[in-house]
């Protein structure tokens, strides 16, 4: 019994999936994008909670790598709209199964919806006590992570974004290779595990990580704890979030996804 699809079948299936995504109404894209953003954000909150007390960086990354990928698995299984994965819609565009205008429309609505879902979760965690673990040390760790991301040089954030979305989109395609739920989750798991271990940059994940730090910084008790711990929060600003991290990471994510999608189309679907 054949338990999976061939590379050509995977590419063809995604071309059909991308066509469906392009035809969805704005309301459907907004709701599915909101849910996807919230699920990814909850995965970020879970990983921060799991490792805030771990001192060794390699141990923390390993734990995050084992936990975070299940978020993408849930997004894929539920058919939600995730901006980074939707960069693969270039396959549908090259197959002439959707127009450029429809692709850009999908990306724009899903991006904003992912951001909204992530911000809702960040606000809930920062302002309603989720970060109170160990007397607020989870909040301190959240701010430290956010400040570190805001200090990335533009070029570094862009290149790490490229690498990240190559792996995320590989996860999406590998999930489509399986015919059963367990296989789809495992297919999504491994590439995402790699990007988390390597510390690559994912724009939707950063829509939680950095705003959660910004919102925690706005809580006086948390800000005082960070100062006592010697955490420098000077780089943790809205402008550094938007222009210093989100912009280059988003550009890098698009480049990575489009390059992979184009390569998959060229090698499997392009007519000679």
């Amino acid at each position: 019994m054949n338990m999976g699809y061939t590379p050509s079948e995977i590419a063809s299936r995604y071309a059909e999936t991308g066509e469906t995504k392009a035809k969805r109404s704005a309301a459907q894209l907004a709701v599915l994008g909101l849910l996807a953003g919230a699920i990814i954000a909850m995965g970020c909150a879970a990983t921060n909670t799991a490792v805030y007390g771990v001192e060794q960086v390699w141990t923390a990354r390993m734990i995050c790598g084992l936990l975070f990928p299940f978020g993408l698995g849930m997004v894929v299984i539920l058919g939600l709209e995730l901006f980074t994965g939707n960069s693969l819609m270039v396959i549908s565009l090259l197959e002439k199964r959707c127009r450029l205008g429809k692709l850009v429309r999908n990306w724009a609505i899903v991006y904003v919806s992912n951001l909204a879902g992530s911000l809702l979760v960040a606000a809930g965690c920062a302002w309603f006590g989720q970060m109170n673990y160990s007397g607020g040390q989870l909040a301190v760790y959240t701010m430290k992570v956010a400040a570190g991301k805001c200090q990335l040089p533009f070029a570094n954030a862009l290149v790490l974004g490229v690498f990240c979305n190559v792996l995320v989109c590989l996860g999406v395609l590998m999930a489509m290779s399986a015919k059963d739920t367990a296989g789809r989750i495992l297919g999504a798991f491994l590439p995402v595990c790699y990007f988390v271990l390597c510390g690559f940059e994912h724009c939707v994940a950063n829509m939680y990580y950095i705003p959660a730090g910004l919102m925690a910084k706005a809580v006086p008790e948390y800000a005082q704890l960070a100062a006592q711990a010697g955490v420098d929060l000077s780089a943790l600003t809205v402008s550094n979030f938007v222009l210093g991290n989100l912009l280059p990471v988003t550009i890098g994510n698009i480049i990575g996804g489009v390059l992979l999608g184009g390569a998959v189309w060229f090698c499997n679907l392009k007519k000679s």
Side-chain angles (χ1 to χ4, degrees):
M1 180 178 176
N2 185 4
M3 297 297 293
Y5 296 96
T6 67
S8 295
E9 289 172 333
I10 295 169
S12 181
R13 291 184 73 218
Y14 194 89
E16 181 180 353
T17 298
E19 181 181 9
T20 300
K21 288 177 177 291
K23 291 179 178 178
R24 279 177 171 154
S25 69
Q28 289 175 321
L29 291 175
V31 172
L32 294 173
L34 186 77
L35 290 171
I39 286 175
I40 296 300
M42 289 178 184
C44 298
T47 56
N48 274 356
T49 304
V51 303
Y52 76 92
V54 178
E55 294 184 2
Q56 296 86 359
V57 174
W58 67 270
T59 304
R61 286 200 184 278
M62 180 64 71
I63 295 171
C64 291
L66 293 174
L67 291 176
F68 185 83
F70 288 105
L72 180 63
M74 287 185 273
V75 167
V76 170
I77 295 298
L78 295 175
L80 305 181
E81 295 282 343
L82 184 66
F83 173 78
T84 46
N86 283 9
S87 59
L88 285 172
M89 288 176 65
V90 68
I91 296 174
S92 306
L93 180 69
L94 292 170
E95 273 294 281
K96 299 181 179 179
R97 300 188 68 161
C98 79
R99 299 194 305 273
L100 179 61
K102 289 287 188 180
L103 180 148
V104 173
R105 167 183 172 272
N106 175 283
W107 284 3
I109 295 173
V110 170
Y111 189 87
V112 173
S113 301
N114 287 170
L115 177 60
S118 298
L119 292 178
L120 285 173
V121 175
C125 291
W127 295 338
F128 293 91
Q130 192 274 332
M131 296 184 186
N132 286 341
Y133 276 78
S134 301
Q137 291 307 305
L138 173 55
V140 174
Y141 178 81
T142 301
M143 289 183 281
K144 182 179 179 180
V145 169
K149 287 180 175 291
C150 285
Q151 294 173 11
L152 280 175
F154 191 99
N156 291 26
L158 189 148
V159 173
L160 294 177
V162 173
F163 291 161
C164 171
N165 212 31
V166 168
L167 288 169
V168 170
C169 290
L170 276 173
V172 172
L173 293 173
M174 288 180 65
M176 298 191 75
S177 72
K179 298 181 179 181
D180 64 307
T181 300
R184 297 182 72 188
I185 292 175
L186 182 59
F189 181 90
L190 291 174
V192 177
C193 178
Y194 286 1
F195 107 63
V196 176
L197 286 172
C198 294
F200 298 150
E201 293 288 315
H202 187 268
C203 66
V204 180
N206 288 354
M207 290 174 185
Y208 171 85
Y209 283 125
I210 302 177
L214 285 165
M215 293 174 188
K217 182 182 177 183
V219 178
E221 294 84 354
Y222 293 158
Q224 184 178 3
L225 287 171
Q228 292 172 354
V231 179
D232 182 7
L233 300 181
S234 59
L236 185 53
T237 64
V238 174
S239 61
N240 281 344
F241 163 50
V242 176
L243 300 177
N245 184 279
L246 196 59
L247 176 62
V249 171
T250 299
I251 294 171
N253 287 169
I254 292 173
I255 292 172
V258 168
L259 286 176
L260 178 68
V264 169
W265 173 83
F266 181 82
C267 295
N268 295 283
L269 297 178
K270 184 179 183 298
K271 307 299 187 295
S272 60

